[in-house]
Amino acid sequence: VIEMQRIGCGSIARSDIGRQVELHGWVNRRRDHGGLVFIDLRDREGLTQVVFDPEQAPAFQEAHTLRHEDVVRVRGPVRARPAGTENPKLRTGEVEVEALEVLVLSRSETPPFPVNLDEDVDEGLRLKYRYLDLRRPRLVRNLTIRHKFLKAVRDYFDAQDFLEIETPILIKPTPEGARDYLVPSRLTRGSFYALPQSPQILKQLAMVSGLGRYMQIARCFRDEDSRSDRQPEFTQIDVEMSFVEQEDVMRVMESMMIETFEKTLGVTLAKPFPRLTFAEAMRRFGSDKPDLRFGLELADIGGIFAHTEFAVFKGALESGGSVIAVRWPGGAASSRREFDAMVERAKEHGAKGLVWIALAADGTKSPMAKFLDDDTLAKLRAATEAQTGDAILIVADKTATAQGVAGKLRLDVADRAGLRDAESFAFCWVYDFPLFELDEETGRWTFTHHPFTSPAPGHEDLMERDPGSARALHYDMVLNGVELGSGSIRITTPELQARVFHALGMQDEEIQERFGFLLEAFRYGVPPMGGMALGVDRIVQIMVGESSIRDVIAFPKNQQGRDLMLEAPSRVPKANLDELGIRIVGEPS
Ligand code: AMO
Ligand code: AMP
């Protein structure tokens, strides 16, 4: 009689030797060898070697029919592998199961790509057959870490008296700077729900309710172009708290990351996270999401060239711009072609051009060599910390442009020098953001974060007088050069909220129609509040070191926003459209 033990294929160990077990799984591999048949049986946890001996005739015969990805049940005793046949690479490599009985539960056709090899497969194929892709250990590991992380997140907030509250998916447009996904209403023809770009407004209303501390692992929807770190639908750790200041929110979120990294990865993060104002981040790193895994700080070298005759720098400085330099470690060894490529790169980043200076052992080379005397070179070395063997890259432009381009070149040279190590985690906070930024397309002021963000104390009047210089109680958490999340202290008076809407160019009628309910809520007793949302997909992506956000999502959409497995979006029958009062105009795409 067999003692039924349900043990996963990945967890059988020496201590199980002698036990009768029952395993369920997929045939990962079959080998016929020395009169025996071996299969590696696979489930979510891992692999176990199963041996079929001719003496167990029925099982042995069935074993010969097994093919990759067949689903089977095997029963038999666990035993030690014969000396010399252990596999140290497998967790179960010291043992095997002797099959006394095998039952085929389902046969598999040849899969469209090998599931049992860790080789590169076309992503379109992987997404079309995602259920097969998810059999591969790498993705199983990613989903497992994601699960553990979210469990740790919930435990952290639970211990701090937060309530997880589910907010609706069918709502009204919530501005977060993207396009809305709209859902037509059947009962109110001609009207539409919007899917939440975030639960922002609802969590604020929950604070008006007095719920005090809210969190949600919230699904958000934004109709924007997919990228390697973006999906049309994604998950936030969404948080809001009453009676708090910026400092309180930052402390709660920082401790959360420290605890969850420890619990999920066993990694102890350095604390406190460094903090930079927006202006400092731009000045030192040319980015509001600085990668602090390495130095290479930008140098403002305008002073060194105050009296230069080099027209490019002279022109930029005279018109109030800046000349910004960044060191390229080891760059002096680059060929002329590599420097030309770097100039092209700078132009892609938005520069008009790029000056490079190669500090080679056999002399300095640069397109502006004739403007570089020994004194100037010494000052440049000091400002950029460049040594012989390095190169210096220089951009002259309007200050913000020069900083931004130099900041992107900083990442390029760090990539080339291998300084962006996927195993290290460099967190920081960026705060004191501008309240508004100029929308390049429309030339109008738009919000940097969202329109519910409070101006910094004393900056309210700047909203009308000098919108570009008003700053906000807005903070971002950054990891390895990626914005993980944003938050802010919120506006809680109807007057101030209306002034922000006005500053963004909205008329009273539009404000009333879009946000009347919010302004009304602010009239019934509203606590000071602040919060934040972190992108789960991006956090897990960095935790596991994947280059695409899609590899940490079970069923992601491709770059065109399509689900290739479900074939969504898809056409719907005309009758459905008629019910909704919708007619497709022109040719469907
Ligand atoms: P924000 O719009 O900055 O803030 O979003 C917060 C974080 O969500 C993640 N994220 C995304 N992840 C994947 N794909 C996307 N398309 C995508 N868009 C955003 C990012 C981002 O930092 N309501 C405010 C938060 C608040 O003020 O409390 C908000 O949504 O990691
Ligand atoms: P030009 O005078 O346009 O021939 O440029 C002379 C050198 O300066 C070339 O090497 C250009 O790539 C470089 N250059 C041009 N514009 C800029 C700029 N805005 N910042 C830095 N270098 C520039």
Side-chain angles (χ1 to χ4, degrees):
V1 179
I2 290 175
E3 177 197 344
M4 298 271 207
Q5 292 282 350
R6 296 190 150 237
I7 298 185
C9 294
S11 54
I12 294 190
R14 279 202 90 82
S15 56
D16 294 310
I17 289 172
R19 281 169 74 184
Q20 300 286 330
V21 295
E22 176 180 285
L23 293 178
H24 296 94
W26 284 255
V27 174
N28 196 59
R29 209 151 78 95
R30 191 188 90 200
R31 278 160 300 143
D32 300 359
H33 189 68
L36 301 171
V37 175
F38 296 88
I39 62 169
D40 289 336
L41 196 62
R42 186 192 68 237
D43 65 12
R44 197 183 86 193
E45 284 196 321
L47 297 174
T48 291
Q49 174 165 294
V50 179
V51 194
F52 296 83
D53 194 298
E55 286 182 16
Q56 304 294 336
F60 184 70
Q61 272 154 23
E62 189 74 312
H64 281 98
T65 73
L66 294 178
R67 303 184 60 216
H68 289 181
E69 305 309 317
D70 285 347
V71 179
V72 299
R73 186 190 73 192
V74 171
R75 290 172 171 171
V78 179
R79 66 186 193 195
R81 293 199 192 183
T85 67
E86 297 95 342
N87 180 355
K89 280 190 250 159
L90 269 189
R91 234 190 326 157
T92 59
E94 290 182 302
V95 295
E96 60 192 14
V97 171
E98 182 192 354
L100 302 182
E101 200 191 310
V102 60
L103 178 66
V104 178
L105 300 169
S106 165
R107 300 271 183 199
S108 172
E109 293 179 16
T110 304
F113 57 87
V115 171
N116 58 357
L117 301 176
D118 188 21
E119 60 181 39
D120 278 344
V121 177
D122 170 63
E123 201 186 16
L125 201 57
R126 289 176 53 203
L127 292 177
K128 178 162 163 54
Y129 297 96
R130 187 62 160 180
Y131 46 88
L132 297 180
D133 201 25
L134 290 176
R135 289 183 185 172
R136 307 203 299 167
R138 197 181 98 201
L139 291 188
V140 173
R141 174 204 60 165
N142 293 353
L143 294 184
T144 307
I145 288 182
R146 185 179 176 117
H147 159 81
K148 290 208 166 101
F149 170 63
L150 288 177
K151 163 94 169 63
V153 168
R154 286 199 166 96
D155 289 346
Y156 172 85
F157 284 110
D158 177 61
Q160 309 244 358
D161 292 335
F162 282 76
L163 286 185
E164 180 159 14
I165 295 166
E166 295 152 278
T167 51
I169 297 296
L170 296 176
I171 61 167
K172 207 177 155 88
T174 324
E176 293 281 2
R179 280 192 194 82
D180 289 306
Y181 280 103
L182 299 175
V183 179
S185 162
R186 178 178 58 85
L187 296 176
T188 316
R189 269 174 74 142
S191 290
F192 294 81
Y193 301 99
L195 305 185
Q197 291 189 32
S198 81
Q200 183 63 37
I201 289 186
L202 294 153
K203 68 177 176 174
Q204 290 187 216
L205 292 170
M207 294 301 105
V208 178
S209 302
L211 290 168
R213 292 180 162 205
Y214 145 97
M215 67 82 59
Q216 182 179 198
I217 308 295
R219 198 62 68 80
C220 304
F221 306 85
R222 298 184 188 180
D223 186 2
E224 49 193 2
D225 296 332
S226 293
R227 292 196 216 139
S228 65
D229 68 345
R230 255 188 205 177
Q231 279 275 301
E233 103 180 69
F234 62 97
T235 307
Q236 289 184 342
I237 301 167
D238 192 38
V239 175
E240 194 74 9
M241 293 176 253
S242 296
F243 308 108
V244 289
E245 295 179 355
Q246 173 166 302
E247 185 61 37
D248 303 306
V249 182
M250 290 166 82
R251 211 183 46 233
V252 165
M253 300 308 281
E254 182 169 319
S255 308
M256 191 271 288
M257 291 312 287
I258 290 169
E259 181 172 310
T260 55
F261 264 68
E262 184 78 55
K263 282 194 180 169
T264 311
L265 299 179
V267 167
T268 307
L269 300 176
K271 62 179 174 182
F273 296 171
R275 292 187 184 188
L276 299 96
T277 64
F278 172 84
E280 187 184 3
M282 295 309 295
R283 183 163 47 74
R284 292 174 55 194
F285 303 101
S287 169
D288 60 358
K289 38 181 193 286
D291 189 340
L292 299 189
R293 280 174 294 180
F294 56 94
L296 299 184
E297 294 199 19
L298 308 188
D300 182 339
I301 55 168
I304 299 174
F305 290 100
H307 306 292
T308 189
E309 289 307 315
F310 181 48
V312 172
F313 290 2
K314 195 172 176 205
L317 292 170
E318 277 171 0
S319 55
S322 297
V323 182
I324 309 283
V326 63
R327 178 168 76 94
W328 178 0
S334 308
S335 65
R336 187 58 203 242
R337 264 189 44 212
E338 286 170 297
F339 279 118
D340 288 344
M342 200 51 97
V343 175
E344 284 314 305
R345 193 80 182 132
K347 288 182 181 163
E348 285 166 25
H349 294 326
K352 296 190 197 75
L354 176 78
V355 164
W356 48 270
I357 302 174
L359 303 173
D362 59 352
T364 300
K365 301 181 193 74
S366 171
M368 66 173 295
K370 66 175 172 172
F371 299 98
L372 299 170
D373 55 41
D374 286 349
D375 179 50
T376 304
L377 279 170
K379 285 182 179 152
L380 279 176
R381 282 176 182 252
T384 59
E385 300 184 344
Q387 311 278 334
T388 301
D390 292 342
I392 299 172
L393 303 177
I394 308 176
V395 185
D397 215 306
K398 281 188 283 190
T399 303
T401 308
Q403 286 175 337
V405 173
K408 293 194 178 103
L409 293 173
R410 174 179 175 266
L411 300 180
D412 290 336
V413 298
D415 273 331
R416 279 168 211 224
L419 297 175
R420 305 187 79 189
D421 163 23
E423 312 263 290
S424 60
F425 302 106
F427 279 87
C428 69
W429 286 103
V430 178
Y431 67 103
D432 208 20
F433 275 82
L435 183 63
F436 300 131
E437 58 193 23
L438 213 46
D439 183 327
E440 309 225 326
E441 275 169 35
T442 61
R444 294 201 344 202
W445 291 106
T446 173
F447 44 84
T448 307
H449 185 35
H450 50 55
F452 315 110
T453 295
S454 174
H459 285 233
E460 297 84 352
D461 291 343
L462 288 172
M463 293 196 298
E464 291 93 14
R465 269 198 291 124
D466 184 8
S469 68
R471 290 198 303 278
L473 295 175
H474 160 197
Y475 33 88
D476 278 4
M477 188 190 284
V478 175
L479 169 57
N480 293 0
V482 173
E483 176 204 296
L484 291 188
S486 299
S488 61
I489 297 299
R490 321 302 183 188
I491 295 170
T492 45
T493 62
E495 297 74 27
L496 188 57
Q497 186 65 71
R499 276 174 70 189
V500 169
F501 289 144
H502 285 141
L504 293 169
M506 281 187 235
Q507 305 301 321
D508 285 334
E509 199 183 343
E510 181 188 357
I511 296 171
Q512 200 50 39
E513 191 182 316
R514 291 179 61 185
F515 302 111
F517 61 93
L518 185 70
L519 297 176
E520 186 176 17
F522 286 170
R523 298 209 299 264
Y524 294 104
V526 48
M529 65 179 88
M532 177 155 200
L534 295 170
V536 169
D537 315 277
R538 287 185 190 173
I539 296 173
V540 178
Q541 183 190 347
I542 298 176
M543 279 183 157
V544 300
E546 290 287 3
S547 54
S548 163
I549 199 174
R550 295 183 290 279
D551 286 333
V552 301
I553 297 172
F555 299 105
K557 305 201 172 21
N558 75 357
Q559 305 264 29
Q560 285 71 47
R562 295 189 62 80
D563 184 320
L564 296 177
M565 182 179 65
L566 303 178
E567 300 188 331
S570 57
R571 307 261 179 91
V572 296
K574 184 170 177 302
N576 292 147
L577 293 179
D578 289 345
E579 241 175 5
L580 297 164
I582 290 181
R583 209 173 54 226
I584 306 298
V585 180
E587 279 300 300
S589 60

Short mmCIF file of all heavy atoms in Angstrom, two decimals, residues 310 312 352-355 367 394-396, ligand 2:
data_model
loop_
_atom_site.label_atom_id
_atom_site.label_comp_id
_atom_site.label_asym_id
_atom_site.label_seq_id
_atom_site.Cartn_x
_atom_site.Cartn_y
_atom_site.Cartn_z
N PHE A 310 36.11 80.69 -27.96
CA PHE A 310 35.42 79.58 -28.64
C PHE A 310 33.94 79.94 -28.77
O PHE A 310 33.22 80.06 -27.77
CB PHE A 310 35.63 78.29 -27.84
CG PHE A 310 34.98 77.08 -28.47
CD1 PHE A 310 35.15 76.78 -29.81
CD2 PHE A 310 34.20 76.22 -27.70
CE1 PHE A 310 34.56 75.66 -30.38
CE2 PHE A 310 33.60 75.10 -28.26
CZ PHE A 310 33.79 74.82 -29.60
N VAL A 312 31.10 78.68 -29.67
CA VAL A 312 29.97 77.89 -29.16
C VAL A 312 29.74 78.16 -27.67
O VAL A 312 28.62 78.40 -27.23
CB VAL A 312 30.23 76.38 -29.39
CG1 VAL A 312 29.18 75.54 -28.72
CG2 VAL A 312 30.30 76.08 -30.89
N LYS A 352 22.83 70.63 -29.43
CA LYS A 352 23.16 71.13 -30.76
C LYS A 352 24.49 70.53 -31.21
O LYS A 352 24.78 70.46 -32.40
CB LYS A 352 23.27 72.64 -30.74
CG LYS A 352 21.95 73.32 -30.41
CD LYS A 352 22.05 74.82 -30.64
CE LYS A 352 20.93 75.57 -29.95
NZ LYS A 352 21.15 75.64 -28.46
N GLY A 353 25.31 70.12 -30.27
CA GLY A 353 26.60 69.53 -30.59
C GLY A 353 27.26 69.09 -29.30
O GLY A 353 26.65 69.17 -28.23
N LEU A 354 28.48 68.58 -29.44
CA LEU A 354 29.18 68.09 -28.26
C LEU A 354 30.67 68.30 -28.48
O LEU A 354 31.19 67.99 -29.56
CB LEU A 354 28.90 66.60 -28.07
CG LEU A 354 29.64 65.91 -26.93
CD1 LEU A 354 28.98 66.23 -25.60
CD2 LEU A 354 29.66 64.40 -27.14
N VAL A 355 31.32 68.84 -27.48
CA VAL A 355 32.78 68.92 -27.53
C VAL A 355 33.33 67.79 -26.68
O VAL A 355 32.86 67.56 -25.57
CB VAL A 355 33.27 70.27 -26.99
CG1 VAL A 355 34.76 70.20 -26.68
CG2 VAL A 355 33.00 71.37 -28.00
N PRO A 367 38.37 68.59 -30.67
CA PRO A 367 38.07 69.52 -31.77
C PRO A 367 38.29 70.97 -31.36
O PRO A 367 38.41 71.83 -32.23
CB PRO A 367 36.59 69.25 -32.09
CG PRO A 367 36.07 68.33 -31.06
CD PRO A 367 37.22 67.76 -30.29
N ILE A 394 31.45 67.78 -23.20
CA ILE A 394 30.97 69.12 -22.83
C ILE A 394 29.79 69.55 -23.70
O ILE A 394 29.84 69.43 -24.93
CB ILE A 394 32.10 70.17 -22.96
CG1 ILE A 394 33.35 69.70 -22.19
CG2 ILE A 394 31.62 71.52 -22.45
CD1 ILE A 394 34.55 70.63 -22.35
N VAL A 395 28.75 70.04 -23.04
CA VAL A 395 27.56 70.53 -23.74
C VAL A 395 27.32 71.98 -23.35
O VAL A 395 27.33 72.31 -22.16
CB VAL A 395 26.31 69.71 -23.35
CG1 VAL A 395 25.11 70.16 -24.18
CG2 VAL A 395 26.55 68.23 -23.48
N ALA A 396 27.09 72.82 -24.34
CA ALA A 396 26.75 74.22 -24.07
C ALA A 396 25.34 74.48 -24.59
O ALA A 396 25.03 74.13 -25.74
CB ALA A 396 27.73 75.14 -24.77
P1 AMP B 2 30.60 74.30 -34.95
O1 AMP B 2 31.06 75.69 -34.63
O2 AMP B 2 29.11 74.13 -35.06
O3 AMP B 2 31.36 73.67 -36.09
O4 AMP B 2 31.01 73.44 -33.70
C1 AMP B 2 32.34 73.33 -33.24
C2 AMP B 2 32.41 72.16 -32.28
O5 AMP B 2 31.58 72.43 -31.17
C3 AMP B 2 31.94 70.86 -32.87
O6 AMP B 2 32.78 69.84 -32.36
C4 AMP B 2 30.53 70.74 -32.36
O7 AMP B 2 30.14 69.38 -32.18
C5 AMP B 2 30.63 71.43 -31.03
N1 AMP B 2 29.37 72.03 -30.62
C6 AMP B 2 28.45 72.69 -31.39
N2 AMP B 2 27.42 73.12 -30.63
C7 AMP B 2 27.70 72.73 -29.36
C8 AMP B 2 27.05 72.88 -28.12
N3 AMP B 2 25.87 73.50 -28.01
N4 AMP B 2 27.62 72.35 -27.02
C9 AMP B 2 28.81 71.73 -27.10
N5 AMP B 2 29.46 71.57 -28.24
C10 AMP B 2 28.93 72.06 -29.36
#
